[in-house]
Amino acid sequence: MRTLFANVEEVFREAAARFTLVAYAALSSVFIGLFAIAVNLDIVDGALAGAKLFGKELQMGPRSVDLNKLVLGFESGFSGFLYVVATFLAVFATAHLVPRLQEKGTIDLYLSRPVGRVKLLLSRYAGGLLLAGLNVAYLIGTMGFLVWWKTGVVHPRFFLGGAIIFFTIATLMAFAFLVGVLTSSTAVSIMATFAVFFLAAILSGHRQIEAALTAEWAAALVRGLYWALPKTGQLAQVTVDFVSYGQLSRHTHEIDRLAVFGSTGAFGLVSLALSAFLFRRKDF
Amino acid sequence: MTAILSAEGLSKTFRTPFSRREVRALDGLDLQVASGEVFGLLGPNGAGKTTTVKILLGLTHPTAGVARLFGLPASDPESRRRVGYLPEGHRFPGYLTARQTLSIFGRMSGVAPAELKSRIPELLARVRISDWADMKVKKFSKGMTQRLGLAAALVHRPDLLLLDEPTDGVDPVGRREIRDLLREEAARGTAILLNSHLLSEIEMTCDRVAVLRKGRLVATGRIADLTAQGFTYRFAGTGVDEALLGAFRESGAGAERVNGHVKLTARDAEHLNALVDTARARGVLVTELTPVRSTLEDVFVDLVNAGEAAEAGGTDDALRPEGSPG
């Protein structure tokens, strides 16, 4: 446990010293702060009777707006936004963890301690995950609190939506670790992880892509890639659907929950296992 | 004494991934270091010194052979529980302070946080960087970084220290302090394996050395034995005249005047004693009789040159895997 805590502490100290995280925390706080200060709602009998933005009255029309629906709309939109932003920032903030560890003159300092390589790697993964998780929790938690403060409405599923974002981050971070072990390059880790994120999102429309392809091998390749890569596109949809409707997807015929979570989790686990295996065998 | 570090038939071949070209960095190395011993590892660039240390620490996997620390295979992380390591050109995270660095690496070596509270100030004082305890490492000079590295290697009170160029970038006073510190550690029973290009440092610090060349051990032994020039002595006394030198030569000894003393070469200890008896019988008052030694640098250069000459001649006979170069 001492090794784990020492590594987690180091990850946090490094994050505190890096501009990326400071910027992330600052931008998040500015966003939250603006929402807290600028939006003022006038609620009458559980409905939105009026609203002010930066002190200016907003036109509400003749009918009052159902507050519950309004909050849900905001929360689902915000969770979709957060899915992309939090995932990107998490990758940016943690992709250096392995390449920096593997730097000449640094790796010797760590591996000469009585700590197994797999344990060392997983400790840093845990540190990175905790860091990213706390960022997601900060954004969702604070925003959820502000929404409750302004409207009196609380949707627990808004907070639980953060778990899906965290799951996506954990998967992509495992892949970034794998690329980091292989290349010892932060830039390549970030680029490769984003490439997977976007490619996988495009492949969520694999049926349409396959139908448009004439060569069977190309269609098989698209299908294979779809199943091999994490389902980043569907997970974004699942996050929004969960926050909006309280179910993983209202399009159950289109999105097989088990396939989405199972194959994405498998991708993360294989990436992490492979990175541990390669890190263990590597000569420094 | 029990060997706490041992290598048997250690070999390492590096292969380039695409050309499949092979580079043999280590070739059947045997090595042993006992507790309380200060052992120097010498060799020209590319001799295999760093590869040896890396295999001993489990950083690199050997192609053949076995390396053990405290009886455990080097691949077992537990074998490093009592090992302190100072790598050459080490880079501690620049965003940590000296105190934080020792805290993190101390805990990774299994030291309890409560113990570190007293241990860290003690160590910082010992390596003379207490005044910079809370300064970020990125602001440290090379000498201060080296001192911090030494403190990090000692944080868990190791019984074996592996040090790669420990005085690199340190001023002469600091070098002496580090030598004294290493001597103190050896006196309390810590075995030390020192890897340095500074042969004078090795000569002043080490009990035994091993000389590597192209991954092979070409000589190993006590420095006094390696640098001894047979039975050659510096001899001085009152009333030493040419007649005495002639008598020495007649007995088969070598005797020549050099800078006010006599360089005397005997066949063996008995012959040397006979020469002293001859001088005493002629009324000479002996004031000095000290063995003449080569410097470690002379020995090192001779060994490396002998290896290259042997290679050029297509034989390795000039290289001796064990014993003095004599």
Side-chain angles (χ1 to χ4, degrees):
Chain A
M1 287 305 272
R2 276 180 198 149
T3 301
L4 176 69
F5 287 140
N7 268 286
V8 169
E9 181 189 327
E10 206 215 317
V11 167
F12 274 76
R13 285 196 184 282
E14 185 175 11
R18 283 172 74 89
F19 182 72
T20 315
L21 192 77
V22 174
Y24 180 29
L27 283 172
S28 305
S29 300
V30 165
F31 186 75
I32 289 164
L34 276 176
F35 182 81
I37 296 162
V39 180
N40 280 302
L41 306 174
D42 181 16
I43 296 155
V44 179
D45 295 332
L48 187 67
K52 281 181 183 172
L53 188 63
F54 291 108
K56 195 179 175 187
E57 199 82 38
L58 294 178
Q59 293 297 319
M60 299 293 297
R63 291 171 58 192
S64 62
V65 176
D66 183 337
L67 190 62
N68 197 46
K69 278 186 181 171
L70 180 82
V71 169
L72 263 183
F74 168 78
E75 285 176 341
S76 58
F78 183 71
S79 59
F81 165 77
L82 196 64
Y83 176 87
V84 177
V85 173
T87 304
F88 273 41
L89 286 174
V91 172
F92 264 122
T94 57
H96 66 278
L97 287 176
V98 171
R100 201 196 59 72
L101 176 72
Q102 292 191 147
E103 277 176 9
K104 189 175 164 60
T106 300
I107 185 71
D108 318 50
L109 295 167
Y110 290 86
L111 293 186
S112 60
R113 305 283 155 179
V115 180
R117 291 188 184 199
V118 173
K119 193 175 176 183
L120 177 66
L121 191 80
L122 293 182
S123 295
R124 291 185 87 77
Y125 180 75
L129 218 50
L130 189 60
L131 183 73
L134 284 175
N135 280 321
V136 173
Y138 171 63
L139 263 171
I140 288 194
T142 316
M143 198 54 85
F145 172 78
L146 283 174
V147 167
W148 168 78
W149 178 45
K150 298 268 179 187
T151 66
V153 177
V154 181
H155 293 121
R157 60 181 188 253
F158 174 60
F159 300 99
L160 290 173
I164 304 171
I165 297 171
F166 183 70
F167 171 74
T168 310
I169 289 172
T171 302
L172 291 174
M173 198 186 291
F175 180 71
F177 265 52
L178 173 61
V179 181
V181 169
L182 282 169
T183 66
S184 296
S185 163
T186 303
V188 174
S189 294
I190 291 173
M191 286 190 291
T193 308
F194 286 168
V196 162
F197 183 92
F198 285 116
L199 181 62
I202 292 166
L203 287 171
S204 57
H206 69 105
R207 288 199 183 92
Q208 291 89 326
I209 298 170
E210 283 176 51
L213 292 168
T214 48
E216 180 51 37
W217 67 266
L221 180 67
V222 167
R223 201 176 310 120
L225 278 173
Y226 170 77
W227 284 109
L229 296 178
K231 310 292 173 282
T232 51
Q234 282 100 329
L235 281 170
Q237 184 64 55
V238 164
T239 305
V240 174
D241 284 353
F242 180 70
V243 173
S244 301
Y245 309 105
Q247 57 191 49
L248 289 177
S249 175
R250 61 184 178 140
H251 313 288
T252 43
H253 62 286
E254 288 177 17
I255 301 174
D256 183 338
R257 297 170 202 171
L258 191 66
V260 167
F261 284 97
S263 63
T264 304
F267 177 85
L269 281 175
V270 168
S271 295
L272 197 59
L274 206 54
S275 58
F277 174 74
L278 294 171
F279 186 65
R280 196 164 178 266
R281 281 173 54 99
K282 206 167 182 174
D283 277 343
F284 292 101
Chain B
M1 284 200 283
T2 323
I4 57 176
L5 177 160
S6 68
E8 290 165 34
L10 218 53
S11 297
K12 177 67 185 178
T13 303
F14 290 102
R15 292 181 180 86
T16 49
F18 298 110
S19 66
R20 305 301 296 169
R21 199 171 70 87
E22 291 191 349
V23 178
R24 204 162 175 78
L26 266 188
D27 191 1
L29 177 71
D30 294 323
L31 204 64
Q32 287 201 331
V33 179
S35 105
E37 188 175 29
V38 185
F39 191 91
L41 206 53
L42 307 176
N45 294 333
K49 305 185 297 292
T50 302
T51 304
T52 304
V53 172
K54 287 191 167 190
I55 290 175
L56 287 168
L57 287 165
L59 285 157
T60 296
H61 306 287
T63 312
V66 183
R68 287 179 180 277
L69 301 175
F70 302 98
L72 294 171
S75 55
D76 182 350
E78 214 37 53
S79 70
R80 300 190 286 278
R81 176 76 51 196
R82 292 152 65 197
V83 178
Y85 177 47
L86 174 69
E88 186 187 9
H90 56 81
R91 291 169 65 183
F92 285 107
Y95 46 82
L96 296 178
T97 65
R99 198 188 301 278
Q100 289 163 352
T101 301
L102 294 182
S103 169
I104 284 175
F105 284 95
R107 277 178 286 154
M108 283 182 70
S109 290
V111 186
E115 193 190 336
L116 282 170
K117 277 185 183 158
S118 59
R119 179 71 176 148
I120 290 173
E122 174 198 320
L123 266 175
L124 291 171
R126 203 169 172 205
V127 298
R128 295 180 187 276
I129 53 170
S130 296
D131 291 346
W132 295 276
D134 297 308
M135 186 187 273
K136 300 267 190 227
V137 173
K138 65 183 170 193
K139 291 182 180 164
F140 275 23
S141 69
K142 196 172 180 189
M144 284 161 65
T145 309
Q146 201 68 2
R147 286 164 188 262
L148 175 63
L150 203 54
L154 291 168
V155 70
H156 53 302
R157 300 178 202 276
D159 293 317
L160 170 64
L161 276 172
L162 303 178
L163 309 174
D164 210 341
E165 305 288 356
T167 56
D168 191 23
V170 181
D171 60 57
V173 176
R175 282 184 185 185
R176 172 166 286 189
E177 286 168 2
I178 289 175
R179 272 202 306 273
D180 292 344
L181 190 149
L182 296 183
R183 276 284 159 210
E184 281 170 30
E185 285 297 317
R188 79 164 188 93
T190 309
I192 301 172
L193 181 78
L194 198 59
N195 185 357
S196 176
H197 284 105
L198 294 174
L199 297 177
S200 56
E201 291 285 329
I202 294 264
E203 202 161 6
M204 282 187 272
T205 317
C206 297
D207 305 313
R208 268 197 321 139
V209 294
V211 183
L212 299 182
R213 188 182 165 278
K214 293 196 172 174
R216 295 176 69 181
L217 188 67
V218 291
T220 183
R222 284 163 39 85
I223 291 181
D225 296 337
L226 288 169
T227 55
Q229 291 189 352
F231 280 88
T232 300
Y233 287 79
R234 180 186 162 105
F235 175 80
T238 55
V240 176
D241 54 17
E242 282 308 310
L244 177 64
L245 297 189
F248 281 168
R249 288 181 196 120
E250 271 175 31
S251 73
E256 54 175 314
R257 282 193 185 275
V258 180
N259 297 333
H261 68 270
V262 176
K263 187 179 174 187
L264 189 63
T265 306
R267 282 190 302 274
D268 50 31
E270 200 155 317
H271 187 204
L272 178 69
N273 278 277
L275 294 173
V276 172
D277 289 346
T278 305
R280 294 289 296 134
R282 287 170 179 252
V284 170
L285 184 65
V286 178
T287 55
E288 185 181 356
L289 185 66
T290 49
V292 174
R293 299 189 182 284
S294 307
T295 63
L296 190 57
E297 187 174 282
D298 294 334
V299 174
F300 177 75
V301 171
D302 287 348
L303 282 166
V304 172
N305 287 344
E308 278 168 12
E311 248 173 36
T315 168
D316 266 358
D317 290 348
L319 303 177
R320 279 169 295 277
E322 280 287 323
S324 80

